[in-house]
Amino acid sequence: MTSPETTDQSQGSVAFSRLMDAIKQGEYRPGDRLREVEIADRFSLSRTPVREALRRLEAERIIEHRPRVGAVIRELGQTEVVELYEMRLVLERTAAELAAKHAIEAEVDALTALNDQMAETVKDPSKAAAINQRLHQSIYLSARNRFLLESARALNNALLLLGPTTLADAARIETVVAQHTEIITAISKGDSDAAGAAAAAHLQTSLRHRLAVMNQ
């Protein structure tokens, strides 16, 4: 027989997963207040598992509690954003370099297909962002290094706190697609130096654009 404690734990996991999905989809954004009652009603759950999910989100530094406000999704300051991109640059340069050494032809074809799909989403920023995430994840997988992959996953929560996608217009998407093409071409040629350099340049461009959006 399932104990009430086990049920609460399982429902807490459900609440956590649904909240994470909502944050990833941009339904909740940095600075938004997370109200326990509203979330419970939205997901048709009791308040106990929702409370557990909020505690877990706080432990993972996705939310913070503010006096007289309650649970709020954290907002990254400029210093944190720069630090985050510095780590992304290191990891993604390494991923591209290793992918150039280990990626098989089918994986390169899959990367090209994703980039082609992204090129067709110039009028749909949210779809472009989703494809962009899949493409970068595919590069990590092609690198064949489980420790690198774990390091990248450790940054996932911080990436959620960046806020809305910067792929907000056709020109920006076209720039990203062109930079992806340079990375993929280098990977296909097995040129690890060129792949790493292209990945680093891509992240530098992304950081500049992110900071420009933040300072508007």
Side-chain angles (χ1 to χ4, degrees):
M1 181 179 296
T2 302
S3 69
E5 182 179 356
T6 302
T7 300
D8 285 344
Q9 289 175 343
S10 62
Q11 289 295 298
S13 295
V14 169
F16 178 79
S17 295
R18 291 184 180 178
L19 269 171
M20 285 292 286
D21 286 341
I23 294 171
K24 289 176 182 177
Q25 296 298 322
E27 297 169 21
Y28 294 114
R29 296 185 175 186
D32 285 352
R33 181 180 177 186
L34 297 181
R35 296 175 173 83
E36 191 177 296
V37 174
E38 183 272 328
I39 294 170
D41 289 342
R42 176 175 181 171
F43 297 139
S44 299
L45 295 168
S46 68
R47 294 176 64 177
T48 298
V50 171
R51 193 175 302 120
E52 173 62 30
L54 291 175
R55 283 198 293 266
R56 184 173 168 186
L57 287 170
E58 184 175 16
E60 298 193 14
R61 303 193 71 239
I62 298 173
I63 68 171
E64 61 187 5
H65 277 271
R66 297 179 183 173
R68 298 181 296 278
V69 176
V72 176
I73 299 178
R74 290 183 61 229
E75 296 177 277
L76 298 181
Q78 180 167 314
T79 298
E80 290 178 297
V81 170
V82 171
E83 292 172 349
L84 173 58
Y85 270 86
E86 285 177 340
M87 284 306 301
R88 287 189 66 196
L89 190 153
V90 171
L91 295 177
E92 300 217 6
R93 178 198 289 271
T94 303
E97 289 172 346
L98 291 176
K101 295 178 180 179
H102 301 297
I104 61 175
E105 186 175 343
E107 289 173 316
V108 174
D109 289 345
L111 288 171
T112 301
L114 285 170
N115 204 36
D116 288 344
Q117 290 175 32
M118 190 171 174
E120 297 173 357
T121 62
V122 291
K123 296 182 180 180
D124 191 343
S126 61
K127 186 174 181 180
I131 295 172
N132 183 57
Q133 291 175 4
R134 287 167 56 198
L135 190 151
H136 282 267
Q137 177 69 7
S138 295
I139 293 176
Y140 276 107
L141 292 172
S142 299
R144 302 283 192 282
N145 189 301
R146 70 191 70 183
F147 297 103
L148 176 66
L149 194 58
E150 284 302 314
S151 296
R153 286 172 178 164
L155 288 181
N156 284 348
N157 289 348
L159 293 176
L160 293 176
L161 302 177
L162 285 174
T165 177
T166 60
L167 301 173
D169 57 67
R172 171 68 181 140
I173 293 174
E174 288 171 0
T175 296
V176 170
V177 168
Q179 292 182 329
H180 285 167
T181 298
E182 292 181 10
I183 298 169
I184 296 168
T185 298
I187 290 174
S188 70
K189 293 179 177 179
D191 189 337
S192 59
D193 289 340
H202 177 44
L203 263 294
Q204 290 283 9
T205 300
S206 296
L207 174 57
R208 284 194 290 270
H209 195 83
R210 173 67 65 180
L211 293 179
V213 171
M214 289 179 66
N215 293 322
Q216 285 180 349

